[in-house]
Amino acid sequence: IRSNVDKSTGDVIRSYELDGVKVDEDYKRYYPYDTLASKVLGFTGGDNQGIIGLEVIYEEYLQGEAGTILTVTDAKGVELSEEGEERVEPVSGQDLYISLDMNIQSYATQLALQTMETKEADSVSILVMNPQNGEILAMVNVPEFNLNDPYTLPGGMDSGAFSEEKKQELLNAMWRNGCINDTYEPGSTAKPFTVAAALESGAITGNETYNCEGYLHVGDHDIACHQTFGDGPLTVQQGVERSCNVVLMNVAFALGKTEFVNYQHSFNFGLKTNIDLAGEARTASMIYHEDNIGMTDLATNSFGQSFNATMIQMITGFCSLINGGYYYEPHIVDKITTADGATIENIEPRVLKRTISQATSDKVREYCNTVVSGEKGTGKTARPAGYMIGGKTGTAETSDQNT
C-alpha cells in the first residue's frame, strides 16, 4: 500500500496485529547533514536507485544486494505463522571516500548564502580545487535542497498548484548543479589563458608594452576597456593586474587566430572534463574554431566574451596555469572500500595533458599575484594580511539556457 514508511509508523501498525496487513522491512538512505553538498552527493528514489550526483555515478558500488524475507502462506495468502519465516540478510553496499572537505564546504556554503543575500542573487556557486591533484575540495550551489526531503519544492511552493510536468521542471531546476551543468561567458578570468598561450607559443616575451586609450578599433567596432579614459602604456603584467582589455586584445592579435583556437582546445574549452558527476554540459558548439573566428571574435574572446564555458572547465584549466601546466582530471571520489574498510579501488590523480611549461606557469602565477598584491590590482580588496595569494577578477555573462 505504501513504501518508505518511517520505522516508528511501521512499528505502530505492526503492533495492531491486523489481519491481512503486513509490515516488511526496507532500507532508506539518511543524510546526516541535510543540505550540505546536496547537488554533489545526490539522493536515491523509492527503490533506492540513484537519482542525481554521486548516487547515480557510483550506484553499482553503493546499492549492495537487497535482503529478502520468505514466508509460507496458504492458498488465500494467509501467513502460516507456525512455519515461521526465512530471512536472507542484505549485503551492504560499498563506501565512497570523497575529496570534499567538510570544513571548506561548510565555510564556502556560508559565504555563498551571504553573497546571495547581499547581492540579491538567484543563486551562487563556489568551486574549490586542489591544483596539485584535481581533487574537488568544495562544490557549492546555493540554494541547496534537503537530501532527506528532496521532493519538496523550494521557497514553500505548493506542489499541488502545479501540473506534474511543471512540478518536475521545478524539481530539476532545484537539483541542478550549476558548477557543471550551466555555461556562461567567463569574462576577464579568461585573460590569464590568453597571456599563457601567447607566452608559451613565443608570440610574446612578456616584456612588451601596449598603449591603452580606453578602447581599440577592431574591424567596424570600437571595443572598450573597462577604464574608458584609458590607462596609457601598460606592460603585459600590468595589463593582467589592471584587467585591461586593450592589452589583452593586442596579445591575442600577436598570437593569431590559429594558435588562439589551438590553445583554447589545449586548455579543454569545448570539451568535457570528465568529472565523476552526471550531467556535465557539452560546450563544443559554444567556442570558435579556426574556420569561423574573425578578428572581432578573436578580440572579444581574448578577454572572455563571445564564448561559453562551465565552472568546472574554468577551474580545471586555471589549475593547470598555476601548477606547472599539468591538466588533472577533476574528481570527487578518492577511493572505494567495502563496508568493513577493505580498499577496492584507489582513485589516483590523473594527468590528462600538459598545457604549458613550468616557465610559463611561473610567469602567469606572478602576474596573478599582482592582481591581488598590486596597488592598482583589480583584486586588491581580497588581499589577506600575512599571506601572498594570486587571483583574477572577472565579470561573467550568463547565456539564455533556452536557446
Side-chain angles (χ1 to χ4, degrees):
I1 297 175
R2 187 175 175 186
S3 60
N4 292 312
V5 177
D6 290 342
K7 183 178 184 302
S8 58
T9 302
D11 288 342
V12 171
I13 295 174
R14 185 184 285 112
S15 70
Y16 294 156
E17 297 182 353
L18 300 171
D19 290 339
V21 177
K22 181 172 176 58
V23 179
D24 286 331
E25 297 174 11
D26 199 358
Y27 289 84
K28 182 182 179 181
R29 285 273 200 277
Y30 172 68
Y31 303 90
Y33 298 105
D34 291 328
T35 62
L36 193 70
S38 62
K39 299 175 186 183
V40 178
L41 302 181
F43 60 94
T44 57
D47 295 325
N48 289 323
Q49 79 281 15
I51 302 296
I52 65 168
L54 295 177
E55 290 280 16
V56 170
I57 294 295
Y58 291 95
E59 181 176 13
E60 63 179 299
Y61 297 98
L62 294 168
Q63 63 185 354
E65 298 178 19
T68 57
I69 301 175
L70 306 176
T71 59
V72 179
T73 68
D74 61 19
K76 295 181 178 181
V78 178
E79 185 177 333
L80 303 176
S81 58
E82 65 272 13
E83 297 293 335
E85 64 182 26
E86 179 183 346
R87 298 174 65 93
V88 177
E89 295 300 325
V91 177
S92 295
Q94 291 151 355
D95 293 337
L96 304 182
Y97 283 74
I98 63 177
S99 61
L100 294 185
D101 183 292
M102 183 175 172
N103 288 326
I104 298 175
Q105 181 78 23
S106 298
Y107 290 138
T109 301
Q110 292 173 23
L111 180 59
L113 288 169
Q114 177 186 333
T115 302
M116 189 169 70
E117 180 179 353
T118 57
K119 301 298 183 182
E120 298 183 351
D122 293 329
S123 63
V124 176
S125 296
I126 297 176
L127 257 176
V128 182
M129 177 187 282
N130 184 340
Q132 305 304 328
N133 57 21
E135 289 183 344
I136 302 295
L137 303 179
M139 182 179 284
V140 175
N141 295 272
V142 296
E144 304 272 4
F145 64 92
N146 192 332
L147 288 166
N148 295 304
D149 188 18
Y151 292 97
T152 296
L153 293 175
M157 286 190 287
D158 179 10
S159 60
F162 303 102
S163 66
E164 285 302 311
E165 182 179 356
K166 182 61 177 179
K167 180 182 177 181
Q168 190 60 54
E169 179 184 328
L170 293 170
L171 288 173
N172 288 339
M174 183 177 74
W175 300 335
R176 190 176 181 86
N177 184 339
C179 292
I180 65 169
N181 298 149
D182 295 339
T183 65
Y184 66 104
E185 290 189 359
S188 293
T189 55
K191 288 176 178 176
F193 291 95
T194 303
V195 171
L199 289 169
E200 185 68 17
S201 69
I204 64 171
T205 65
N207 298 319
E208 293 79 5
T209 298
Y210 302 100
N211 188 47
C212 175
E213 297 179 347
Y215 70 96
L216 192 64
H217 188 77
V218 182
D220 297 327
H221 305 277
D222 287 335
I223 301 178
C225 188
H226 71 95
Q227 293 282 23
T228 55
F229 51 81
D231 275 313
L234 295 176
T235 64
V236 176
Q237 176 175 308
Q238 290 171 327
V240 176
E241 176 186 342
R242 304 185 192 187
S243 202
C244 176
N245 290 351
V246 171
V247 169
L248 266 294
M249 285 187 278
N250 279 297
V251 168
F253 295 156
L255 179 62
K257 293 189 293 184
T258 299
E259 285 296 277
F260 182 88
V261 167
N262 288 342
Y263 273 97
Q264 270 205 322
H265 285 101
S266 178
F267 290 124
N268 232 53
F269 293 116
L271 303 172
K272 288 188 175 183
T273 65
N274 290 327
I275 187 173
D276 50 345
L277 287 172
E280 183 177 3
R282 296 180 179 273
T283 58
S285 63
M286 298 182 178
I287 65 168
Y288 285 92
H289 301 273
E290 186 178 0
D291 59 355
N292 68 352
I293 186 170
M295 291 303 291
T296 302
D297 306 317
L298 177 61
T300 55
N301 271 223
S302 73
F303 51 84
Q305 292 186 11
S306 301
F307 75 92
N308 269 243
T310 60
M311 285 183 67
I312 191 64
Q313 283 178 332
M314 285 298 296
I315 195 171
T316 309
F318 214 106
C319 282
S320 79
L321 289 181
I322 62 172
N323 70 7
Y326 299 98
Y327 189 99
Y328 284 95
E329 183 176 73
H331 66 278
I332 292 176
V333 174
D334 283 336
K335 70 175 179 177
I336 304 170
T337 72
T338 61
D340 57 8
T343 299
I344 296 173
E345 183 179 356
N346 279 312
I347 312 298
E348 300 293 341
R350 184 182 177 197
V351 178
L352 299 182
K353 64 179 83 174
R354 188 84 185 266
T355 58
I356 55 176
S357 65
Q358 184 67 55
T360 300
S361 178
D362 290 344
K363 191 163 287 189
V364 170
R365 193 163 59 245
E366 176 188 343
Y367 292 175
C368 288
N369 282 339
T370 65
V371 172
V372 182
S373 64
E375 286 307 309
K376 294 189 177 181
T378 54
K380 64 181 181 180
T381 56
R383 188 185 309 159
Y387 292 90
M388 171 66 77
I389 69 169
K392 183 66 196 79
T393 57
T395 304
E397 295 186 15
T398 57
S399 64
D400 184 349
Q401 300 295 326
N402 297 317
T403 61

